[in-house]
Amino acid sequence: MDASVETGLPANTAGIQAYSDWKALLSRFTHIVLVANSDEANVERLRSDLPNTALFVFFNKAYKILDKPFDRPALLVARSGSVGANIVYRKEVRDVLAYFPGETFLGVMNIRAHPGELFSEAVNFHGAPVGHLDLSTHFASFYPSDHIPTSGFAMALWLKEYLPDTAIWLDGFSAKRSEKWKVFHLHDWTFEQVVLRLFIHSGKLITPGAAEKNAYAALLERFPDLSEGLVALSAADVLASRLEGANKEIDKLISVTKGLRWFYLLSKKLKPKTRKQRLNAKRNGS
């Protein structure tokens, strides 16, 4: 019999909704690794570095990160949008679940992080265990109101809040645009990176690589006669100068690409509505 059944703990994600039940399920692991959809994610490195008591958490299109089925304890976070879980309405569920065939797969966590996002029913996940985590108002008190949290940011902070004694690792949380991965502007990437870096430098979150070491803190250790305020002012002065230079080049690009943007906007107007737009319009009765 599964040890979780003997102890009364949830065996997988099936039917879980309450924070306390999610905490009971996830607290069985010594490490929780959040694997971002990023070119900088390196799952194999952490597979070899961390014990079998580590849980690996993937997001949505995990098949773009994995090149073979994953046999370690894993959880799939399926983010919801205005018409339900993204992998459901895009018909990607089977493709994603094919990478988690073993008994070590805990199931799907369908989350929403904004009141306008809707959950998908468990039946839409083709037999996989499914639970729902509602974070739609969890970050309202501090997250910029004109943006919505990314799934990775939401999970990182929620996990650290509810599992303070568990080691939470971030893999590939670079927030960088690449040819493979888009950076959607409905999220406040700058705010998230500042908060995550703050948590990393304070030891609340862990990430492999250079981000673990605060270069400015190391500078102050080397030159103790410098003050934190002076370092902050100098950094702000440099950033302001570089931003001003970037803005001048952006202004030039806007002028040069005026014709291209006219054709781009025209093509968008002529482009048929996406399935998501049609579903939203039907739901709103328009």
Side-chain angles (χ1 to χ4, degrees):
M1 181 180 293
D2 192 304
S4 61
V5 176
E6 293 178 348
T7 59
L9 296 174
N12 53 45
T13 64
I16 295 181
Q17 295 186 30
Y19 284 11
S20 57
D21 290 334
W22 282 115
K23 181 177 180 180
L25 176 67
L26 300 177
S27 63
R28 292 156 35 191
F29 300 94
T30 57
H31 304 71
I32 297 180
V33 183
L34 304 180
V35 184
N37 292 330
S38 164
D39 291 334
E40 298 187 17
N42 191 334
V43 180
E44 288 305 314
R45 173 187 56 195
L46 294 180
R47 276 173 61 105
S48 61
D49 290 347
L50 296 178
N52 290 328
T53 52
L55 173 69
F56 288 77
V57 179
F58 297 89
F59 297 87
N60 298 312
K61 297 182 181 182
Y63 53 76
K64 296 181 73 173
I65 291 294
L66 299 170
D67 56 9
K68 59 184 178 181
F70 194 74
D71 59 359
R72 293 278 294 270
L75 174 73
L76 176 67
V77 172
R79 177 64 177 269
S80 275
S82 58
V83 293
N86 294 327
I87 61 173
V88 169
Y89 84 80
R90 290 176 182 156
K91 303 184 186 303
E92 297 165 340
V93 175
R94 291 189 189 277
D95 293 336
V96 178
L97 292 181
Y99 283 80
F100 305 102
E103 295 181 356
T104 55
F105 181 50
L106 269 63
V108 177
M109 173 193 280
N110 182 197
I111 74 167
R112 67 179 195 141
H114 184 270
E117 297 171 342
L118 301 178
F119 287 131
S120 288
E121 296 182 2
V123 69
N124 292 314
F125 291 91
H126 302 288
V130 179
H132 296 89
L133 178 63
D134 190 349
L135 300 176
S136 59
T137 60
H138 195 73
F139 306 100
S141 64
F142 68 89
Y143 197 92
S145 60
D146 54 343
H147 292 78
I148 63 176
T150 63
S151 303
F153 177 85
M155 285 296 296
L157 266 64
W158 181 80
L159 284 169
K160 197 65 243 179
E161 186 175 1
Y162 280 87
L163 294 172
D165 298 324
T166 302
I168 309 299
W169 285 65
L170 306 182
D171 184 27
F173 276 63
S174 64
K176 294 178 182 178
R177 176 68 159 95
S178 70
E179 292 184 6
K180 185 177 180 181
W181 298 105
K182 295 181 180 179
V183 175
F184 296 101
H185 296 293
L186 72 163
H187 310 302
D188 193 327
W189 296 98
T190 301
F191 175 80
E192 293 195 5
Q193 284 295 299
V194 169
V195 174
L196 292 178
R197 192 62 61 89
L198 174 64
F199 273 55
I200 291 167
H201 290 156
S202 63
K204 296 179 182 295
L205 297 172
I206 305 168
T207 186
E212 294 178 335
K213 182 75 173 177
N214 186 332
Y216 294 108
L219 177 69
L220 289 171
E221 291 177 4
R222 180 68 176 270
F223 301 99
D225 55 314
L226 298 177
S227 68
E228 291 184 0
L230 184 59
V231 171
L233 285 173
S234 297
D237 186 37
V238 171
L239 288 174
S241 298
R242 292 181 62 83
L243 182 59
E244 179 63 18
N247 284 338
K248 289 179 180 179
E249 297 305 315
I250 291 171
D251 187 60
K252 292 178 184 178
L253 287 173
I254 291 174
S255 299
V256 170
T257 58
K258 182 177 181 180
L260 290 174
R261 284 184 287 110
W262 184 86
F263 281 109
Y264 172 72
L265 293 173
L266 178 62
S267 67
K268 286 189 68 175
K269 290 180 180 179
L270 298 176
K271 187 178 179 180
K273 288 184 177 180
T274 65
R275 183 167 177 265
K276 183 176 182 180
Q277 288 171 329
R278 295 196 302 271
L279 290 170
N280 274 326
K282 183 177 180 181
R283 191 180 60 150
N284 296 329
S286 58

